[in-house]
Amino acid sequence: MAVALIGAAGLGVVSILDRGDGECGATLPVTVAADPTLAPVLTELAGTYTGTEPRQGDRCVEIDVAASTAAAAVPTFGGEEAPDLWIPKTRAFGPAVDEGLIEPLANVALSPLVVAMPQEAAAAIAGDTAQISWAALVQGEGAAVIADPAATDEGLASLVAVRTVLGDQIERDQLVEVMTRVSQAAVPTVDDALAATAEAPAAVTATEQSVVAYNRDPSGPRLTALYPAEGTFGFDYPAFAVTGAEDDSDARAAAAAFVEHLETDEAQETLRRAGFRSPDGTAAADAGIVDGIRAELPELLPAPDPELIAELSRQWAALALDMRMLAVIDVSGSMNEQVNGGATRIELTRDAALEALQLFPPDASVGLWAFSIEQDPPNDYIELVDVGPMNERLLNGSTRQEALVIASESLPSRAEGGTGLYDTALAAFQSMRGSYQAGMVNSVVLLTDGRNEDDPDGIDLETLLTTLTAQFDPAEPVPIITIGMGPEADMEALQQISAATGTTAYHAEDPSDIQSVFIQAMIERQCRPNC
């Protein structure tokens, strides 16, 4: 029998074809959807495997390896385009899969999540330990870059690792602050992240194997893998037989046989040479000498809670959305009340607003109103800064962000008069509704420490709710996210106002909590509506 090896660029097709000598009745194609990090070496292994002339019955087995992310592969399961074999980077951080469509076979490789840095920078931070803490990574002054958690397992695993390890040390608002800061430097792929740290030294989260692969390019600076001291996640490359539109038992058996080949000593040595570890954590014999990693397997964290993954994914999605927000701050006389060692409510609110401005991306559209019945009679509110991109230059030459800082700092000097809550809420809603911009999350965040005091000149609560309900358009939603501050806030009214626009109200019973509550409200800007 003549043997022809055919390689298709990008597909890794390797086959044994019958040349008419009668030894091979037909070919049996076995399609493999493999994570892009594994696909190149898997194609090499497929070639080695076909050299052993594998057969299923009288058919010669043909292995077709395609690089595919889990997000691209999973939707095909059960259909005509389903692969026979699926090897993702991991199941832990990927999309949900119908368990009836896959059968676990074996884990074929392992690669832990590491922190990659240029060699000199890594030595300055870790010395000879090759370790770094997650806390140092997220709370340090140095730059940190991650691949987009919405598109990469490495990025999402990084967020989950921080929350898992620092859960008792970092508050939710602190984590959101970290996520916001990191989101402004996030890049689409791990390759982009590695390239970024080579150009401007930064800490990058990536798989250990990607560090090995990067260091094999002599044109770039060498990277060093640092291992989180608290533990890290391992990408375990599980192999699954997949059910397609037609369940081909021969193809399933051939796929299982190929996986058995991947478990052989020879195949495992090939995987280790490519920078992967064996499933038991064994690295290549020369690991740590030439490739920037260490031979010892780091401590691995247990599989993460799916609910935690869902929560962090939602938060990241919120931070990634284009934002258009009008902040409406109560400056009535009661905001002058001193709390917590002498600071007033309005001073705490000012500080929270200034902190939040540091979290918004530069192109976020933000505006600021202040309200009390003494602000701009007969109106109960005054526009301090119109809504627009924070990095936009205004007529006076300053940026809108600079104007927002100045306006926020002025809030304590404005605190006087009663609370014109209902008229202000309606005016803010109608202003954002009238200037609605598609493709952005248009919202109002309103903070108050009291209840409406504009009777009988202003509208009542029933009129406000009726109007909001009538004018609210689910196709162009403008949620009013309300925040009550202190024990006198009319939370019942605030809940009804927010509910009328498909969202919710927050209560900072302790005024010192206003910063964390304000950040939580910021997260909720993703509502479209009905969070």
Side-chain angles (χ1 to χ4, degrees):
M1 177 177 65
V3 178
L5 299 182
I6 303 175
L11 295 179
V13 177
V14 183
S15 60
I16 299 179
L17 302 179
D18 179 20
R19 293 303 189 187
D21 59 7
E23 294 185 18
C24 185
T27 60
L28 174 61
V30 174
T31 56
V32 183
D35 185 83
T37 60
L38 184 68
V41 67
L42 204 64
T43 298
E44 177 186 346
L45 288 167
T48 302
Y49 181 62
T50 57
T52 67
E53 301 187 1
R55 304 245 182 153
Q56 189 66 34
D58 64 347
R59 291 189 289 174
C60 297
V61 175
E62 175 186 281
I63 303 292
D64 178 355
V65 179
S68 177
T69 64
V74 169
T76 69
F77 295 176
E80 296 287 347
E81 302 299 319
D84 298 301
L85 184 65
W86 176 47
I87 310 180
K89 189 183 281 99
T90 182
R91 281 287 308 279
F93 303 101
V97 182
D98 183 344
E99 299 296 333
L101 296 177
I102 57 175
E103 177 188 351
L105 299 175
N107 290 65
V108 301
L110 177 67
S111 192
L113 181 70
V114 300
V115 178
M117 299 183 72
Q119 197 170 48
E120 291 186 5
I125 290 178
D128 296 331
T129 67
Q131 285 194 328
I132 190 173
S133 72
W134 286 113
L137 178 66
V138 302
Q139 297 171 347
E141 296 181 358
V145 178
I146 67 172
D148 184 1
T152 67
D153 294 325
E154 293 91 333
L156 183 54
S158 301
L159 296 183
V160 177
V162 170
R163 186 68 177 122
T164 299
V165 170
L166 303 181
D168 296 332
Q169 305 172 39
I170 188 168
E171 298 295 332
R172 183 184 180 194
D173 59 296
Q174 292 176 302
L175 179 61
V176 172
E177 182 176 348
V178 169
M179 290 171 62
T180 303
R181 186 171 67 248
V182 171
S183 72
Q184 296 173 18
V187 294
T189 69
V190 173
D191 287 343
D192 292 331
L194 294 173
T197 192
E199 293 178 6
V204 171
T205 54
T207 64
E208 183 183 64
Q209 186 274 336
S210 66
V211 174
V212 175
Y214 183 90
N215 283 338
R216 287 180 177 168
D217 180 356
S219 64
R222 286 182 56 77
L223 300 180
T224 295
L226 300 181
Y227 297 81
E230 307 94 336
T232 188
F233 288 115
F235 298 105
D236 54 358
Y237 292 89
F240 298 91
V242 179
T243 299
E246 296 181 4
D247 191 6
D248 186 334
S249 59
D250 285 346
R252 182 175 288 263
F258 179 55
V259 172
E260 289 180 3
H261 171 72
L262 298 180
E263 296 179 282
T264 64
D265 292 343
E266 180 182 4
Q268 285 296 304
E269 179 60 29
T270 300
L271 286 162
R272 289 193 293 268
R273 286 199 305 270
F276 296 94
R277 293 174 183 263
S278 294
D280 64 1
T282 302
D286 62 353
I289 300 175
V290 297
D291 52 15
I293 67 171
R294 74 180 193 190
E296 180 186 355
L297 179 68
E299 180 181 352
L300 298 183
L301 298 171
D305 184 345
E307 291 185 4
L308 176 59
I309 294 176
E311 177 189 352
L312 293 177
S313 297
R314 181 184 70 83
Q315 290 182 0
W316 183 267
L319 295 172
L321 292 171
D322 291 332
M323 180 182 72
R324 186 168 179 273
M325 185 188 79
L326 174 59
V328 182
I329 306 297
D330 184 352
V331 291
S332 61
S334 59
M335 291 288 284
N336 283 316
E337 181 177 333
Q338 290 186 335
V339 294
N340 294 345
T344 64
R345 289 174 179 168
I346 192 60
E347 288 171 342
L348 293 172
T349 301
R350 171 203 60 198
D351 294 344
L354 291 171
E355 180 67 23
L357 287 174
Q358 301 304 311
L359 301 182
F360 299 144
D363 58 352
S365 288
V366 181
L368 178 63
W369 288 10
F371 74 98
S372 80
I373 60 177
E374 299 293 335
Q375 287 305 300
D376 188 26
N379 294 325
D380 293 339
Y381 53 88
I382 185 170
E383 180 182 82
L384 302 182
V385 182
D386 67 329
V387 177
M390 293 205 305
N391 56 7
E392 183 178 55
R393 290 284 173 183
L394 304 181
L395 293 178
N396 63 4
S398 66
T399 64
R400 182 172 279 101
Q401 182 174 24
E402 292 168 337
L404 286 163
V405 169
I406 293 172
S408 298
E409 291 175 340
S410 76
L411 291 173
S413 66
R414 295 179 174 276
E416 62 175 339
T419 307
L421 175 60
Y422 299 158
D423 283 353
T424 299
L426 181 58
F429 171 80
Q430 292 178 333
S431 174
M432 291 296 283
R433 179 174 177 268
S435 58
Y436 186 91
Q437 291 188 16
M440 304 184 77
V441 177
N442 299 254
S443 64
V444 174
V445 175
L446 184 150
L447 183 146
T448 181
D449 73 336
R451 59 187 61 248
N452 187 67
E453 297 173 329
D454 197 25
D455 299 329
D457 298 327
I459 61 174
D460 58 18
L461 179 60
E462 181 179 356
T463 301
L464 170 62
L465 297 176
T466 300
T467 306
L468 290 176
T469 301
Q471 295 183 2
F472 183 80
D473 182 358
E476 296 185 349
V478 178
I480 304 178
I481 303 164
T482 58
I483 303 172
M485 183 180 186
E488 290 82 26
D490 188 353
M491 291 308 302
E492 182 176 352
L494 295 180
Q495 290 283 9
Q496 293 181 71
I497 293 169
S498 290
T501 59
T503 185
T504 190
Y506 292 91
H507 192 191
E509 295 185 65
D510 185 337
S512 64
D513 293 335
I514 186 57
Q515 181 171 313
S516 62
V517 172
F518 200 93
I519 291 174
Q520 289 181 43
M522 183 187 76
I523 295 173
E524 196 170 321
R525 68 179 188 264
Q526 72 173 317
C527 299
R528 292 183 177 267
N530 300 322
C531 295

